[in-house]
Amino acid sequence: MAAAPIITAVSLFRLDIPLREPFVISLGPIERVQNVAVHIQTSAGLSGWGECSPFATINGETAETCLAVGRLFARALHGKNALDIAGNVALMDRLIWANSSIKSAFDMALHDIAAQHAGQPLYQFLGGQNDKPLHTDMTVSLGPGEKMAADALRFQQEGFTVIKVKLGGHPDEDIARMGAIRKAIGPHLPLRIDANQGWPDAPTALKVLQALAPFGIQHCEEPIPRWLFTELPQLSAASPIPIMADESMCSPHDAQRLIALKACPLFNVKLGKSGGLHHAANIAGQAAGAGIGLQVGGFMESRLGMTAAAHLALASPAVHFCDFDTPLMFTEDPVEGGFQFGPNGLIQMPQTPGLGAAFSPRFLEVVFSV
């Protein structure tokens, strides 16, 4: 029997890339990608890549905090069996609470190594098959109604089969924005909306959702502040649009709590919220058992991080929606391999063992190595 691949080196990198234009949500504008990449090498010659996109207003992390905590993880995991994913994730969880973003990058790199060792694409290693089409939506940034309508029309003309719209401003303005968008694109193209906690309370959210019901909306993500999660069951029962938990559903514990409350019919799973594929798979299992539908999305990851999310999407029958569009907003693509964007937002997956993606060295600034 071959010896287990032991972690012999870990490197942390900055990834800093401007966006084509500011991406605006109710929590504020994003003008550039400031991500952290992790590269883990082993005694068996296998190495794995991971990436995280810290989001201060959602998971309380920045690139600086991720690099600081990443140093702790790099030292702690040095000499460990790279295939012991559960043990290594538990070690990170014991070392420090929360910090789910940087944990997800290490988790991703470990899964990359383990799937390579098994000779399987990551989705197969996770128990899935490449047997269902994955189509990403394309997101309209929050802004003036005229610009949002023009952006939606452009995405429709580019062939995307579903459009996601960022809301969470003044309720009357949000209603007017959606009216302008629906008028621009016609009655048939499906829409999704994401308030990012922007409506202040459940009565306000219900008013907006009732007004938007005629616009053919598939679901609404996180309509109210995350700390009002106990109000989600009543809001969800009254809403004509299905509610999807996002910022209020980060960890497996959050999923368990919302399922017990019968809070809503849909969850949005992101590796940077859950702490990585190990915990995200736990959430997916809970959701499948409870009849909860899933969307797999992300923050501002490149195609590398989003490729990991797509592997997860193929591994769970509960996943019905994909939100992988942020790499299309980058001014440059730093990834070699990974999934490719096909016509109409179709995601074309790599079939090589492991994650199937790596970073081009010219985009990375090394910060730490052990």
Side-chain angles (χ1 to χ4, degrees), residues 200-222:
D201 50 48
T204 302
L206 182 59
K207 172 188 171 183
V208 180
L209 293 167
Q210 288 172 335
L212 298 183
F215 293 148
I217 296 169
Q218 290 182 335
H219 57 252
C220 173
E221 295 181 44
E222 206 69 19

Side-chain angles (χ1 to χ4, degrees), residues 62-112:
T62 67
E64 292 299 332
T65 69
C66 286
L67 290 167
V69 175
R71 289 176 169 87
L72 298 176
F73 294 159
R75 295 186 179 101
L77 293 175
H78 200 277
K80 297 293 189 293
N81 179 356
L83 303 184
D84 183 15
I85 294 175
N88 291 326
V89 169
L91 172 60
M92 291 190 289
D93 285 342
R94 285 195 304 271
L95 273 174
I96 191 167
W97 180 77
N99 291 277
S100 59
S101 189
I102 186 61
K103 288 176 180 177
S104 74
F106 277 84
D107 166 284
M108 194 182 300
L110 291 169
H111 275 87
D112 188 8

Side-chain angles (χ1 to χ4, degrees), residues 14-193:
R14 292 181 188 272
L15 179 69
D16 192 324
I17 297 176
L19 298 182
R20 297 180 186 275
E21 62 178 67
F23 181 56
V24 184
I25 68 174
S26 66
L27 296 169
I30 304 160
E31 297 183 351
R32 61 191 310 114
V33 173
Q34 295 179 308
N35 292 354
V36 172
V38 174
H39 188 225
I40 297 178
Q41 297 171 272
T42 71
S43 58
L46 299 173
S47 66
W49 282 99
E51 178 191 15
C52 66
S53 179
F55 213 103
T57 55
I58 294 178
N59 53 32
E61 293 172 86
T62 67
E64 292 299 332
T65 69
C66 286
L67 290 167
V69 175
R71 289 176 169 87
L72 298 176
F73 294 159
R75 295 186 179 101
L77 293 175
H78 200 277
K80 297 293 189 293
N81 179 356
L83 303 184
D84 183 15
I85 294 175
N88 291 326
V89 169
L91 172 60
M92 291 190 289
D93 285 342
R94 285 195 304 271
L95 273 174
I96 191 167
W97 180 77
N99 291 277
S100 59
S101 189
I102 186 61
K103 288 176 180 177
S104 74
F106 277 84
D107 166 284
M108 194 182 300
L110 291 169
H111 275 87
D112 188 8
I113 292 167
Q116 289 178 55
H117 185 267
Q120 299 174 326
L122 181 52
Y123 65 77
Q124 186 176 359
F125 179 78
L126 294 171
Q129 297 295 325
N130 191 15
D131 58 357
K132 63 180 179 181
L134 303 179
H135 284 87
T136 185
D137 54 23
M138 191 65 194
T139 304
V140 174
S141 183
L142 184 64
E146 297 82 0
K147 184 181 187 308
M148 293 177 71
D151 287 345
L153 179 60
R154 174 164 53 89
F155 298 152
Q156 180 186 43
Q157 293 170 342
E158 290 173 356
F160 289 95
T161 58
V162 61
I163 292 174
K164 177 175 172 177
V165 181
K166 290 292 188 178
L167 297 177
H170 187 280
D172 292 339
E173 293 178 358
D174 282 341
I175 294 167
R177 289 175 171 117
M178 292 305 299
I181 289 170
R182 185 49 87 188
K183 181 179 179 180
I185 66 173
H188 302 301
L189 191 69
L191 292 170
R192 303 168 185 168
I193 58 176

